[in-house]
Amino acid sequence: MTSKFITCLLLTALAGATGVAHAERADRDKPMNIESDALRHDELTQTSVFTGNVVMTKGTIVLRGAQLDVRQDAQGYQHGVVKAEAGKRAYFRQKRDTAPGAPDEVVEGEGEIIEYNGKTDDVKLIRRGQLRRYTGGKLSDDIMGSVITYNNLTDVFTVDGEKRSNQPSSAPAGSGGRVRAILAPKAAPSASPSAPVPAQPLQPSGNLNLQGK
């Protein structure tokens, strides 16, 4: 029997963080809405498995893939793992905080597996990972690696290239070779006090091993 979308299953995220969240950084406090072709839920273990054209939204966060496993820990935080179809990549998107009057910024990423940690508000892109930042609709930064971890609250990311002794130097980025990054220069802030303050760029954690030409 073929079923249509599971109608907007609402999994309410319980926030445990203190302090005031600003706009999109309050995404972790928003309910998790999921649509899929099928659902298997285990009340005893507090786990749910969604399969078939899965779309999850949580505030401005969007996750898409072939399968989504969701569990809730004892503290009420939700954790999700999105898996793509064979040969494809799952998708992640989130709108970033920006100053009033500044261009909109969006971060999106892809990976064969995407993990979302509701407690730390981390997104991890695993295997053929790619993270992009768009400013005013234009591509600003493009990061590729085997594993990319991005924190939604701090905008800090880490990238692992997963070097292998038998990996040729010409291997595509994100397939087990070195980390590759394209980082656009950031515009200098205007001296005018009335000019909008630009959003802070993504902050890499530690030293990235960038692929030279």
Side-chain angles (χ1 to χ4, degrees), residues 112 127-128 145-146 160-180 209 211:
E112 294 182 20
R127 291 203 295 271
R128 294 196 294 149
S146 179
D160 294 324
E162 191 180 346
K163 291 183 179 179
R164 298 176 183 175
S165 58
N166 60 349
Q167 187 73 30
S169 59
S170 59
S175 63
R178 302 177 69 190
V179 172
R180 299 187 181 183
N209 185 11
Q211 173 67 54

Side-chain angles (χ1 to χ4, degrees), residues 76-98:
Y77 292 104
Q78 292 173 326
H79 307 264
V81 178
V82 183
K83 300 176 182 177
E85 295 181 14
K88 296 184 179 180
R89 294 189 293 179
Y91 174 82
F92 156 77
R93 182 182 188 275
Q94 185 183 32
K95 187 177 182 295
R96 296 184 67 207
D97 285 328
T98 53

Side-chain angles (χ1 to χ4, degrees), residues 9-12 32-34 39-42 45-50 54 56 63 67-73 76-82 116:
L9 179 68
L10 185 64
L11 301 176
T12 305
M32 184 182 285
N33 298 275
I34 304 170
L39 163 65
R40 179 174 59 82
H41 176 72
D42 188 327
T45 61
Q46 287 294 296
T47 59
S48 301
V49 179
F50 300 83
V54 181
M56 186 218 80
L63 286 172
Q67 178 177 319
L68 169 63
D69 297 357
V70 177
R71 68 175 178 84
Q72 182 166 292
D73 62 25
Y77 292 104
Q78 292 173 326
H79 307 264
V81 178
V82 183
Y116 173 74

Side-chain angles (χ1 to χ4, degrees), residues 15-21 28 77:
T18 58
V20 179
R28 64 182 303 184
Y77 292 104

Side-chain angles (χ1 to χ4, degrees), residues 177-200:
R178 302 177 69 190
V179 172
R180 299 187 181 183
I182 300 173
L183 303 175
K186 305 302 183 292
S190 172
S192 172
S194 61
V197 179
Q200 293 297 316

Side-chain angles (χ1 to χ4, degrees), residues 100-113:
D104 287 340
E105 291 196 6
V106 172
V107 171
E108 67 176 22
E110 295 172 300
E112 294 182 20
I113 298 174

